[in-house]
Amino acid sequence: MNSDAVTKSAPQRALLHALGLTNEEIERPLIGIVSSKNDIVPGHMNLDKIEEAVKLGVAMAGGTPLVFPAIAVCDGLAMGHQGMKYSLVTRELVADSTEAMTLAHAFDALVMIPNCDKNVPGLLMAAARLNIPTIFVSGGPMLAGKVDGQKISFSSVSEAANSFKAGKMTKEKLLEFENKACPTCGSCSGMYTANSMNCLTEVLGMGLQGNGTIPAVYSDRIQLAKHTGMQIMELLKRDIRPRDIMTLEAFQNALTLDMALGCSTNSMLHLPAIAHECYLELNLDIANEISDKTPNLCHLAPTGHTYIEELNEAGGIYAVMNEVNKLGLLKTDLMTCTGKTVGENIAGCINKNTDIIRPVENPYSKTGGIAVLKGNLAPDSCVVKRSAVTPEMLKHEGPAKVFDCEEDAMEAINSGKIIAGDVVVIRYEGPKGGPGMREMLNPTSAIMGRGLGESVALITDGRFSGATRGAAIGHVSPEAAIGGNIALIEEGDIIQIDIMANEINFIISDTELEKRRANWKPRKPKIITGYLSRYAAMVTSGNRGAILEIHK
């Protein structure tokens, strides 16, 4: 189906005339501009500027741009309260509503304008599902803040707040962090989830060069949006579609760059979900295989003290891809939204700052930034941002302190009940059990703020913010709500973590494990009405990307 369905009959043309469209505009291809602009998310407040630039680019290239909206939740504002249950679940709402608007109005092609967190993967899922020519341009990252001459970001405030609670920082200094950490619009300035997914959109081939790294406040971002609007007309002319671009090999490229960049662990949820919409199975078992041969070249905040603006100046994502491909790790003959192959795109994109993008001969580590662990605690899998773990915590053994929700864990951490050596277990916070798979930035920031980051691990069937650092292990699958082994852990059980060996276990005999399993009973759903109840009924565990399925 194309726009002929709405432009070739008099009654529907009458409605298009009611929009103020001329006959000339109606005869041109109708290009849907999916704008995620809103006034509550800092990464989205500037998207009206991007939207206008895209519209101009489309019109310059002979199309008729028509805008419709997509929702977006700010994970930072939703953090630590009921709102976080509504973050991950919006990914499916974004995809479903974009599908509905696109097919109801018979658009010929789409330009997606996302920026933050679940909005990016939601629109990538929609692009794959609809499979009409589509291109992405994000709103861009925030500039870093600065306190005492040091660059800081959103995660710095979370840790400062917990340092203040622990009596390690004055109220005046905390206020300075609060006022200076987020100085511009844009997605938060470190390699958090939003920037991870915008960078990986470039790698997948769905966004032009600079999509993931050009700061929101730079005029280059407006120019990028105009070029994106022009380029969608080329993709339409050549009939290049998302599933032509997002092949299994493209996802393997994305996992490779994920490892090199040290992206958010949330990418391990989103890449399988996007692949699922492409009718592909992205088995995370291959993640460790890719990690074993991919060096970690970047330590951006919260892992290190550099920021997206500096990655942009160092050459951006194409420079990282070119560096990684010195080892022959990328498939370079894949088509992209530029109309050229990956190899053609990255040719000549040099690394301009070897302090920001380490050469492959001198990586931060010879293996990738993310690891997938398995063992009797997580028989299907769990995920950790290995590059953000201190060397002391890559191998850890300690007693479990078990909590059935985030709030109980926070109370224990803030009251000093968690001590060096402990392993904090937060369960019944998975996709189904939460419901919604909340991020655990507050507990990890509290652990860091109390100076326990080098001696305490945290394990959950929930997930972590891209702003999290430390031995934070999430996406434990199967989750507690469906009887996963994490539900059977008891206070004081000894947990063994070996991140370099990709293993996670708790010490228990087979007999005792089966005894506990026989005594386990499912919990009553926490929410029984509204969207979250429907979501909980259909969602899978984190190892499958928390996709929705009809359970028969």
Side-chain angles (χ1 to χ4, degrees), residues 202-203 209 253 256-257 260-261 294-295 297-298 311 314-332 341-352 357-361:
E202 269 191 70
V203 183
Q209 183 179 9
N253 280 353
T256 299
L257 260 290
L261 290 166
T294 306
L297 304 182
C298 298
L311 178 59
I317 299 306
Y318 280 13
V320 181
M321 293 175 73
N322 206 22
E323 189 70 44
V324 164
N325 204 46
K326 290 178 181 178
L327 300 175
L329 296 179
L330 298 179
K331 306 291 191 302
T332 58
T341 65
V342 170
E344 290 172 324
N345 287 342
I346 67 175
C349 294
I350 63 170
N351 180 357
K352 300 176 183 178
I357 306 170
R358 289 275 188 96
V360 291
E361 299 84 7

Side-chain angles (χ1 to χ4, degrees), residues 259-406:
M259 300 301 172
L261 290 166
C263 291
S264 163
T265 52
N266 281 311
S267 62
M268 294 289 105
L269 279 176
H270 300 320
L271 290 175
I274 299 160
H276 178 75
E277 296 287 353
C278 294
Y279 302 99
L280 301 170
E281 182 179 354
L282 189 62
N283 188 333
L284 290 185
D285 286 347
I286 69 169
N288 286 335
E289 297 174 27
I290 291 174
S291 181
D292 286 345
K293 56 188 178 184
T294 306
N296 179 222
L297 304 182
C298 298
H299 266 192
L300 292 104
T303 302
H305 299 287
T306 56
Y307 295 83
I308 299 293
E309 64 201 68
E310 292 163 301
L311 178 59
N312 186 63
E313 292 164 5
I317 299 306
Y318 280 13
V320 181
M321 293 175 73
N322 206 22
E323 189 70 44
V324 164
N325 204 46
K326 290 178 181 178
L327 300 175
L329 296 179
L330 298 179
K331 306 291 191 302
T332 58
D333 59 348
L334 309 180
M335 181 52 62
T336 72
C337 69
T338 66
K340 300 177 182 178
T341 65
V342 170
E344 290 172 324
N345 287 342
I346 67 175
C349 294
I350 63 170
N351 180 357
K352 300 176 183 178
N353 188 333
T354 55
D355 291 329
I356 306 301
I357 306 170
R358 289 275 188 96
V360 291
E361 299 84 7
N362 181 35
Y364 283 102
S365 66
K366 293 182 179 180
T367 55
I370 290 179
V372 176
L373 315 183
K374 286 188 177 183
N376 69 355
L377 196 153
D380 287 343
S381 70
C382 57
V383 177
V384 63
K385 188 170 182 175
R386 179 163 53 194
S387 59
V389 180
T390 61
E392 297 87 347
M393 292 300 293
L394 289 171
K395 192 170 185 177
H396 181 74
E397 180 175 310
K401 296 288 181 69
V402 184
F403 306 95
D404 287 351
C405 66
E406 177 188 1

Side-chain angles (χ1 to χ4, degrees), residues 6 88 107 186 198 227-228 247 260 295-296 314 344 367 376 378 380 383 391 422-423 426-427 469 476 532:
V6 296
L88 178 62
F107 287 107
N198 282 323
H227 284 132
T228 300
T247 62
N296 179 222
E344 290 172 324
T367 55
N376 69 355
D380 287 343
V383 177
D422 284 345
V423 179
I426 306 177
R427 61 192 181 189
R469 62 190 179 99
V476 170
L532 284 180

Side-chain angles (χ1 to χ4, degrees), residues 400-473:
K401 296 288 181 69
V402 184
F403 306 95
D404 287 351
C405 66
E406 177 188 1
E407 289 81 0
D408 289 351
M410 281 298 296
E411 191 280 328
I413 296 167
N414 288 331
S415 61
K417 295 176 183 176
I418 303 302
I419 62 173
D422 284 345
V423 179
V424 177
V425 177
I426 306 177
R427 61 192 181 189
Y428 294 99
E429 289 285 8
K432 188 179 293 291
M437 204 178 188
R438 288 194 286 182
E439 288 186 344
M440 300 293 156
L441 176 61
N442 284 353
T444 53
S445 294
I447 288 169
M448 286 292 175
R450 289 183 169 271
L452 296 171
E454 296 180 0
S455 59
V456 170
L458 194 156
I459 299 169
T460 181
D461 53 7
R463 60 193 180 90
F464 292 107
S465 165
T468 291
R469 62 190 179 99
I473 299 167

